[in-house]
Amino acid sequence: HEVENAKKKFDITNKTKNIVCGISASGPTKRWDIKNYINLFENINNKFPCKFFIAAGPKDHDLVKEIMNSSLKDKCISFSGMTIAEAIPVISACQSYIGNDTGWAHISAALNLKSLYLFCDSPSEAYGKWRSNIKLIIPKGHAICEHNTRGKDKISFEEVLIKSLELIN
C-alpha cells in the first residue's frame, strides 16, 4: 500500500528508469565527485527517460543543491527532507541504485534493486558481496578496496557509465 502511494505521489511508472542515486557517503574520501554523478546522470538521461531519486541526508545540502541546479533538476527528487521510513516505499518503487557504498545502497540492495556500488575508500569485500544483485566498481589498480584506499579519483567515468547502462537496460 505504501509503495503504491509513493508511485502515485512521485509519478513512478515503467515509462521511466527510476534510479536511486547514492551521492552521499559518511565522508569526502568515500564520495565519487558530484560533478561525475551529474555527468553520469545526464548521459543516462540522454539514452532513456529517467527519474532520479537523490539519496542524501540533511548534511548533504551542498551536494543536493548542485544536482538541483543542474540540467537534471526537473527529473530529480531528493530524499534529504524525508525520514528513512518515508524514503523506503519510494526506493521500493524504483528499479536500480547507482552510487557510493552507503546505507542508502544497502537499503536499496535489501529491497532487491539492481545495484551498482562505487567503492572509493571502504572494504568492498565486506560491504559489496552480500547480495547477488550488487555489482561493484573499485579504484583502478586495486584488486579490492579497503579503508584508506583513497581511490575516488581512480574510478573511471567510462566504466561507471558502461556498467550503469548495463544495470538499468
Side-chain angles (χ1 to χ4, degrees):
H1 185 63
E2 289 179 22
V3 175
E4 290 307 314
N5 288 344
K7 285 180 178 181
K8 285 180 188 147
K9 181 176 181 178
F10 296 106
D11 191 30
I12 301 171
T13 70
N14 58 9
K15 293 177 185 164
T16 56
K17 302 291 184 179
N18 301 291
I19 305 166
V20 178
C21 306
I23 62 166
S24 180
S26 60
T29 64
K30 295 182 178 184
R31 281 194 306 259
W32 200 44
D33 191 272
I34 192 65
K35 288 174 180 33
N36 288 334
Y37 277 118
I38 292 168
N39 189 14
L40 176 70
F41 302 146
E42 287 172 341
N43 272 269
I44 293 170
N45 191 63
N46 286 337
K47 298 201 182 311
F48 306 103
C50 294
K51 195 165 283 195
F52 300 100
F53 294 87
I54 309 305
K59 293 180 182 176
D60 300 308
H61 178 74
D62 291 345
L63 298 173
V64 173
K65 188 175 172 185
E66 253 190 272
I67 287 187
M68 295 309 202
N69 286 333
S70 76
S71 65
L72 299 165
K73 64 181 169 256
D74 296 334
K75 305 204 175 278
C76 294
I77 295 158
S78 174
F79 290 166
S80 60
M82 296 182 200
T83 65
I84 291 173
E86 291 167 328
I88 284 176
V90 180
I91 295 169
S92 294
C94 293
Q95 296 89 29
S96 54
Y97 171 91
I98 299 169
N100 300 313
D101 166 42
T102 67
W104 295 112
H106 299 295
I107 291 168
S108 297
L111 293 170
N112 293 318
L113 274 67
K114 293 186 292 180
S115 300
L116 180 63
Y117 289 18
L118 279 60
F119 281 89
C120 301
D121 200 29
S122 57
S124 56
E125 297 298 296
Y127 301 146
K129 301 221 170 158
W130 60 277
R131 297 227 12 161
S132 62
N133 58 323
I134 301 170
K135 305 292 180 228
L136 311 180
I137 294 181
I138 60 171
K140 287 249 181 269
H142 294 268
I144 61 170
C145 189
E146 293 289 342
H147 289 297
N148 298 315
T149 296
R150 305 285 196 256
K152 71 179 190 173
D153 296 325
K154 295 177 187 164
I155 291 182
S156 154
F157 177 82
E158 287 302 316
E159 181 183 10
V160 177
L161 177 60
I162 289 165
K163 287 191 175 180
S164 295
L165 292 172
E166 288 170 0
L167 184 82
I168 63 174
N169 202 4

